[in-house]
């Protein structure tokens, strides 16, 4: 059947097919994300187990947003939190202050998963350094799956 010479019912049936709708959802579907919070204050060099993400899909693109609240009782210059996918750095948050106080530092990274596990590791922490927990007012990370993103140089 022809609908006014513009569309055939066959074309309309194909448009509404399950295959087409699956492809459309892949392009315009939901963006998956997960937030994890640090459950307790940390003052040592360690893996932050609360912030571990498992089951990443190798080759898939992800966006990582990190927010760390920390303090120290003297000047620090070498305390860091590294985000690692199967041991490979994908983000590195340097925590440095010129004196004492509470500091909130955020970082955003986009990366292709080279492994299936994302962990966070503190390094350079001494007796005077603490990363704080506390939900959205403390330290947390957000991992987002990026379903249809591609790097470009078109804005050079």
């Amino acid at each position: 059947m022809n609908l006014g010479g513009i569309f055939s019912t066959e074309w309309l049936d194909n448009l509404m097919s399950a295959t087409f709708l699956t492809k459309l959802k892949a392009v315009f579907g939901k963006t998956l994300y997960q937030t994890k919070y640090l459950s307790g204050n940390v003052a040592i060099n360690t893996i932050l187990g609360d912030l571990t993400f498992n089951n990443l899909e190798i080759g898939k693109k992800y966006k990582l947003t990190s927010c760390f609240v920390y303090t120290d009782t003297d000047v620090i210059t070498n305390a860091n939190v590294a985000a690692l996918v199967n041991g490979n750095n994908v983000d590195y948050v340097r925590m440095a202050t010129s004196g004492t106080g509470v500091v909130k530092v955020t970082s955003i990274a986009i990366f292709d998963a080279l492994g299936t596990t994302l962990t966070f590791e503190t390094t350079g922490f001494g007796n005077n350094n603490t990363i704080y927990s506390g939900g959205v007012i403390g330290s947390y990370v957000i991992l987002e799956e990026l379903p249809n993103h591609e790097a470009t140089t078109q804005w050079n």
Side-chain angles (χ1 to χ4, degrees):
M1 175 180 192
N2 193 314
L3 303 174
I6 299 173
F7 301 109
S8 69
T9 55
E10 181 182 346
W11 181 86
L12 191 56
D13 288 343
N14 288 336
L15 179 65
M16 299 310 292
S17 73
T19 302
F20 177 78
L21 292 177
T22 299
K23 289 178 183 177
L24 191 62
K25 184 178 178 186
V27 174
F28 297 106
K30 295 177 184 176
T31 298
L32 300 177
Y33 73 95
Q34 184 176 4
T35 304
K36 292 198 175 189
Y37 301 94
L38 193 60
S39 66
N41 296 344
V42 174
I44 60 172
N45 294 325
T46 188
I47 300 289
L48 303 175
D50 295 340
L51 307 182
T52 297
F53 293 89
N54 294 300
N55 303 313
L56 277 65
E57 188 176 323
I58 294 173
K60 187 164 273 196
K61 196 170 295 294
Y62 293 90
K63 177 181 174 185
L64 173 64
T65 303
S66 304
C67 178
F68 293 102
V69 177
Y70 69 97
T71 191
D72 65 294
T73 57
D74 57 15
V75 177
I76 61 172
T77 58
N78 64 343
N80 308 290
V81 177
L84 308 163
V85 174
N86 286 37
N88 297 303
N89 269 340
V90 294
D91 196 18
Y92 189 76
V93 179
R94 186 164 185 87
M95 299 177 178
T97 63
S98 58
T100 61
V102 176
V103 178
K104 186 174 197 174
V105 62
T106 58
S107 178
I108 297 174
I110 294 175
F111 65 94
D112 295 315
L114 300 175
T116 59
T117 303
L118 171 63
T119 58
F120 294 82
E121 182 178 359
T122 59
T123 58
F125 274 68
N127 295 331
N128 301 321
N129 315 123
T130 302
I131 298 177
Y132 288 104
S133 61
V136 294
I137 62 169
S139 300
Y140 62 91
V141 293
I142 303 169
L143 183 65
E144 300 174 60
E145 183 180 87
L146 299 180
N148 196 27
H149 290 66
E150 183 177 328
T152 184
T153 58
Q154 76 181 35
W155 301 300
N156 288 350

